[in-house]
Amino acid sequence: MTVVTIVEDCVASAESAFAYVNDYRNLPTILHGLESFTPVGAKDEGLGAVFDGRMKLGPVALTSRVEVTRWTENALIEVTSIKGFEIASTFVFHPKGAALCTIDAIVEYRVPGGLAGKALGRTIEPFVKLAVKHTTDNLVAQIAAFHLTREP
């Protein structure tokens, strides 16, 4: 299992950051390489919500069906794959004031075993590093802009 962790301060409240990330429609603009993220069924947030996602990392397209496995309003969102590419993503929102929070974004993924899995791992590794850099930049910039629209 490969683990990628992003810890960033963001000029927004934890509530604003949570609200932005919790809206699945925002994820393709935050997560670099995410081409689609659509709900499966009527539930589109909270514990038990299920989504189909497609991510492009360089020449490789990966698909997963994920389920929200932990969800605490304004504090935590965790999704875990239940089908397809094995991935788990967790976002933790730490309040630091009315307009400041720290966001922990932890992504864990596993490539299949054998030669094909090793080749896939080597192929996507540089693209994962690039995606993490762009995702970090997108995450803090977009949440900060969203927070400004929510202020009275």
Side-chain angles (χ1 to χ4, degrees), residues 5-8 90-94 102-106:
T5 302
I6 301 167
V7 178
E8 285 290 326
T90 305
F91 291 89
V92 184
F93 307 89
H94 306 280
T102 299
I103 303 169
D104 300 347
I106 302 112

Side-chain angles (χ1 to χ4, degrees), residues 111 115 117-127:
V111 294
L115 293 175
K118 286 181 182 180
L120 174 62
R122 281 193 301 271
T123 300
I124 68 172
E125 183 178 358
F127 298 102

Side-chain angles (χ1 to χ4, degrees), residues 80-144:
T80 305
S81 62
I82 56 177
K83 181 178 168 187
F85 184 69
E86 286 187 61
I87 190 162
S89 300
T90 305
F91 291 89
V92 184
F93 307 89
H94 306 280
K96 289 187 152 183
L100 185 64
C101 68
T102 299
I103 303 169
D104 300 347
I106 302 112
V107 178
E108 302 175 57
Y109 67 92
R110 180 187 316 271
V111 294
L115 293 175
K118 286 181 182 180
L120 174 62
R122 281 193 301 271
T123 300
I124 68 172
E125 183 178 358
F127 298 102
V128 168
K129 290 177 180 176
L130 182 64
V132 167
K133 161 95 175 84
H134 288 301
T135 295
T136 302
D137 296 344
N138 294 342
L139 185 68
V140 296
Q142 290 176 27
I143 290 171

Side-chain angles (χ1 to χ4, degrees), residues 5-77:
T5 302
I6 301 167
V7 178
E8 285 290 326
D9 285 336
C10 184
V11 183
S13 66
E15 292 81 8
S16 289
F18 177 89
Y20 194 78
V21 174
N22 191 55
D23 185 341
Y24 75 92
R25 295 168 296 195
N26 294 328
L27 294 180
T29 65
I30 298 171
L31 300 174
H32 184 76
L34 187 63
E35 294 183 328
S36 65
F37 196 77
T38 55
V40 175
K43 191 170 187 173
D44 65 5
E45 73 171 355
L47 195 61
V50 177
F51 301 87
D52 280 338
R54 176 182 166 83
M55 179 170 257
K56 184 104 163 125
L57 292 171
V60 179
L62 305 168
T63 59
S64 287
R65 176 165 286 180
V66 297
E67 180 177 359
V68 177
T69 51
R70 292 193 308 161
W71 188 92
T72 304
E73 189 169 7
N74 297 326
L76 178 132
I77 302 168

